[in-house]
Amino acid sequence: MSSVVFKKKEKIGELLVRIGKIQPSQLERALTHLETVPQSLGEILISLGFISEEDILAALAEQLSLKAYEPQPDNDEFLTFDISPIFHREHPFALFRRNEQIILLLNNVKDGDIFSAVELLFPEPVTVQLCPESVLESIMEEHYDLGRQDAEAGELLIDEADVDRLKDMASEAPVIKYVNTLIDTGLNRRASDIHIESLEEGQLIRFRVDGILQEYEIPPASMQAAIISRTKLLAGLDIAERRIPQDGKISLRISGREVDLRVSTMPTIYGEGVVIRILEKGSIILDMSQLGMPPEVEKVFGRLITVANGIILVTGPTGSGKTTTLYCAMNKINSGSNKIITLEDPVEYQLHGINQIQVRSDIGLTFARGLRSIVRQDPDIIMVGEIRDFDTAEIAVQSSLTGHLVFSTLHTNDAVSAITRMIDIGVERFLIASSLRGIMAQRLVRSICPECRESKGLISENLGYVPEGGDFEMFIGRGCKNCSGTGYIGRVGIYELLPLDDSMCRGVARGVDQDELEKIAASSGFKPMFLDGLDKVKSGITTLSEVVRVCRGVSNGSL
């Protein structure tokens, strides 16, 4: 807040050494953990047993010219305030008046939201004092009835009796049978996700099949709350907590099939929404020949993934099969004589012989921090789930330049746009030209059902022109029992691959714009994914409408 200014006089570690709380050797040992452990220096010192939380707070108070809290029960009048209980829980603090002075009690001084909020409550200056987390929690429990405030604020709280009732309902045979049938039906329909949505008129259940949502039967109103509770119980989630998102996992065997389910809950105005991602262990494709790449693309990509160093990117929107392509690449080059480490969010499938790491942003294990630590594990090949920021991109580039082969993904529409995206993130052009080996862009299109496939006429009648290579017959799916009336069953990829040859690298280094890069790519024989899609239309694999649907906005992909 404006009346409180924190000025650091010296680093906290140096201060602790100066006042005799720790030895220089202990500080050195703690500092070596900073790059590998997602904790602050103070937390590391405490975990190593070198110092107590009270000592850290006392040193921090001296560092910031603040005072440590010393209780005076006879003089302290704790003050109430009009702030959301949820905000109060997420940002613990207390306010009290002592000898006509208002004091803000904190454990963490880094949260500027608290200062801004308190500034609106009191016009007079506020003094900040620090206290241990356990002491602050006790004060909040004693002086602030958060449970009552939650109820008054209309938050979605349920008492122990309701929790027990929901558990009983979730354990009843009809509910157990319904949830099991729901998952089994999703598997039989080849659904990738099951959506349980809470709407004003009741519950809606939908399956995402081949990328498209399909409605399922509406469950009885008496079972709707229990269905969500049953799912949360299976995923190890807190059924009493309906105010914040939760994530969990279920591993089960159903109808003789090993299945992993990722469960995500989200509070909405009419109740909780649940999405169940189905990951069937036996259904993952690990053979590149099954992805549907054109022979020439598969051949060049297969060569690229065996280079000694550099970066290979796979691009496309969410749900375009990027992870599957990367898993196929990892599986193909996993010879046993190299060390492969992946950093993923989340780890969707476990790959034999590969070290896989789950990103945990909640504890500070981000892509950038994990990648920084991975390079110390002496890997030959690194897979980073996604390049999201400059830090991750910079470390990936540096790793590739120091002898590692790095795989990652980007969210861009096409292959050439990935170069522009890397520049926008902040990577120098000469580093991109030096490190980037190739870019694969892809989409997934639905495959025509073989049981009801029929002719739709010539491609020229639907395109309005004869495509390069000549006219040909195209097909659609009429819709039958086998494909649930959709005309499609399964999906296949369409691809474009841009190897960075000398001419492309020179263009990147010179700073030419995207249009010029596309011309350079075309002169080197680059084939846009839209043309791969037309080839699959010609082969009777998919429909023209599918190719147009997924290629909208792609360079050379709009009609």
Side-chain angles (χ1 to χ4, degrees):
M1 63 194 327
S2 58
S3 58
V4 179
V5 179
F6 301 137
K7 294 183 178 180
K8 294 187 177 182
K9 298 179 180 179
E10 59 183 313
K11 293 181 179 180
I12 190 69
E14 296 171 355
L15 175 58
L16 289 167
V17 171
R18 180 175 59 79
I19 63 178
K21 293 296 182 181
I22 60 173
Q23 299 299 317
S25 59
Q26 293 175 322
L27 174 60
E28 288 298 321
R29 181 177 169 188
L31 288 172
T32 61
H33 290 272
L34 270 181
E35 293 297 327
T36 57
V37 178
Q39 293 178 310
S40 67
L41 177 61
E43 290 170 331
I44 293 172
L45 287 167
I46 293 171
S47 65
L48 290 173
F50 294 158
I51 200 169
S52 67
E53 182 183 7
E54 289 76 9
D55 289 334
I56 287 285
L57 281 172
L60 186 60
E62 181 176 339
Q63 181 194 40
L64 301 174
S65 298
L66 300 176
K67 288 185 177 180
Y69 173 62
E70 296 180 0
Q72 295 182 14
D74 295 335
N75 296 327
D76 296 345
E77 174 195 355
F78 283 88
L79 307 173
T80 58
F81 38 80
D82 186 18
I83 285 182
S84 162
I86 296 178
F87 177 89
H88 195 193
R89 277 202 181 91
E90 293 178 349
H91 311 278
F93 70 97
L95 278 170
F96 64 94
R97 192 186 303 273
R98 178 187 292 174
N99 300 328
E100 303 305 319
Q101 185 179 31
I102 295 176
I103 297 174
L104 172 63
L105 199 57
L106 297 174
N107 174 255
N108 182 0
V109 298
K110 295 181 179 179
D111 198 336
D113 291 339
I114 297 176
F115 307 123
S116 301
V118 172
E119 187 176 31
L120 298 175
L121 297 175
F122 300 97
E124 57 264 57
V126 177
T127 300
V128 175
Q129 292 187 3
L130 302 180
C131 76
E133 183 179 6
S134 58
V135 174
L136 183 56
E137 288 178 352
S138 297
I139 291 173
M140 290 173 61
E141 182 177 347
E142 179 180 354
H143 296 282
Y144 303 105
D145 189 351
L146 296 179
R148 180 181 57 79
Q149 291 182 40
D150 277 339
E152 291 175 353
E155 298 295 336
L156 297 174
L157 294 176
I158 50 182
D159 58 27
E160 287 188 23
D162 287 330
V163 172
D164 292 339
R165 180 177 59 82
L166 282 173
K167 286 182 178 179
D168 290 341
M169 290 176 62
S171 301
E172 292 175 356
V175 176
I176 294 173
K177 182 179 179 181
Y178 186 92
V179 173
N180 289 346
T181 301
L182 183 65
I183 297 170
D184 193 35
T185 303
L187 279 168
N188 291 331
R189 289 196 181 185
R190 302 173 295 99
S192 60
D193 303 88
I194 302 172
H195 292 241
I196 306 173
E197 303 168 64
S198 297
L199 306 175
E200 183 178 11
E201 60 273 17
Q203 207 167 64
L204 174 65
I205 295 181
R206 298 191 287 179
F207 296 116
R208 187 175 293 281
V209 181
D210 297 332
I212 305 297
L213 284 171
Q214 301 175 0
E215 290 193 12
Y216 184 57
E217 64 183 33
I218 298 175
S222 60
M223 291 175 59
Q224 291 179 3
I227 289 169
I228 291 178
S229 296
R230 175 65 183 172
T231 306
K232 291 172 72 174
L233 280 174
L234 287 172
L237 304 180
D238 183 0
I239 67 171
E241 180 57 82
R242 303 192 223 174
R243 302 159 304 166
I244 59 175
Q246 296 186 71
D247 293 290
K249 184 177 180 180
I250 307 170
S251 294
L252 50 82
R253 184 177 181 86
I254 188 165
S255 298
R257 299 148 86 174
E258 295 288 338
V259 181
D260 283 338
L261 307 176
R262 288 209 318 269
V263 178
S264 172
T265 71
M266 179 68 67
T268 70
I269 59 174
Y270 295 112
E272 285 183 288
V274 178
V275 174
I276 304 171
R277 168 63 59 88
I278 301 175
L279 304 170
E280 188 179 358
K281 296 179 180 179
S283 67
I284 176 136
I285 297 174
L286 292 176
D287 186 349
M288 201 174 296
S289 63
Q290 298 180 37
L291 295 178
M293 291 181 187
E296 65 276 14
V297 169
E298 185 178 342
K299 179 180 178 181
V300 176
F301 188 65
R303 188 179 72 245
L304 282 175
I305 64 177
T306 60
V307 298
N309 55 68
I311 298 177
I312 296 173
L313 295 176
V314 180
T315 77
T318 300
S320 60
K322 300 187 298 295
T323 300
T324 299
T325 298
L326 287 175
Y327 278 2
C328 286
M330 296 299 103
N331 190 58
K332 186 176 180 67
I333 60 180
N334 182 21
S335 63
S337 61
N338 50 24
K339 182 171 183 177
I340 304 175
I341 304 181
T342 74
L343 189 64
E344 307 172 57
D345 184 20
V347 175
E348 295 196 3
Y349 293 96
Q350 296 176 12
L351 302 175
H352 178 71
I354 293 176
N355 300 275
Q356 295 173 270
I357 301 170
Q358 169 75 54
V359 167
R360 290 282 305 279
S361 298
D362 56 326
I363 61 170
L365 182 55
T366 60
F367 278 119
R369 191 161 197 170
L371 183 53
R372 191 177 289 113
S373 299
I374 280 176
V375 295
R376 300 194 188 99
Q377 293 290 308
D378 190 30
D380 299 291
I381 300 161
I382 300 170
M383 187 192 100
V384 186
E386 183 183 348
I387 292 178
R388 297 177 178 174
D389 50 40
F390 173 72
D391 287 342
T392 308
E394 182 183 40
I395 302 166
V397 168
Q398 293 300 328
S399 299
S400 71
L401 294 175
T402 54
H404 302 90
L405 180 59
V406 180
F407 292 83
S408 192
T409 70
L410 277 178
H411 286 283
T412 62
N413 283 333
D414 51 60
V416 177
S417 296
I419 297 173
T420 307
R421 175 64 179 149
M422 291 287 281
I423 295 169
D424 291 341
I425 287 175
V427 182
E428 295 288 349
R429 292 176 182 272
F430 75 92
L431 290 176
I432 296 174
S434 302
S435 62
L436 198 54
R437 299 289 178 261
I439 306 164
M440 174 81 83
Q442 63 182 74
R443 297 289 190 279
L444 292 176
V445 294
R446 291 182 291 173
S447 301
I448 299 172
C449 174
E451 299 294 327
C452 59
R453 193 179 76 160
E454 61 182 25
S455 176
K456 180 64 174 175
L458 296 176
I459 186 71
S460 59
E461 297 171 359
N462 293 273
L463 270 179
Y465 63 89
V466 178
E468 184 179 345
D471 217 351
F472 58 84
E473 184 180 16
M474 55 178 284
F475 299 86
I476 61 169
R478 184 180 63 253
C480 64
K481 183 178 180 181
N482 183 55
C483 59
S484 302
T486 64
Y488 298 97
I489 186 164
R491 288 190 290 179
V492 66
I494 58 174
Y495 302 89
E496 62 183 34
L497 178 61
L498 178 65
L500 265 76
D501 58 16
D502 291 342
S503 60
M504 182 62 71
C505 288
R506 284 194 297 269
V508 174
R510 289 201 320 269
V512 302
D513 61 20
Q514 182 162 327
D515 289 340
E516 186 63 29
L517 289 175
E518 289 175 358
K519 292 177 183 177
I520 296 172
S523 67
S524 300
F526 173 71
K527 182 178 178 180
M529 71 174 76
F530 181 70
L531 296 183
D532 180 32
L534 286 185
D535 286 343
K536 288 182 169 67
V537 173
K538 183 177 182 178
S539 300
I541 295 173
T542 190
T543 63
L544 177 63
S545 61
E546 270 296 286
V547 175
V548 172
R549 177 179 69 86
V550 303
C551 285
R552 285 194 183 98
V554 178
S555 177
N556 299 315
S558 301
L559 296 180

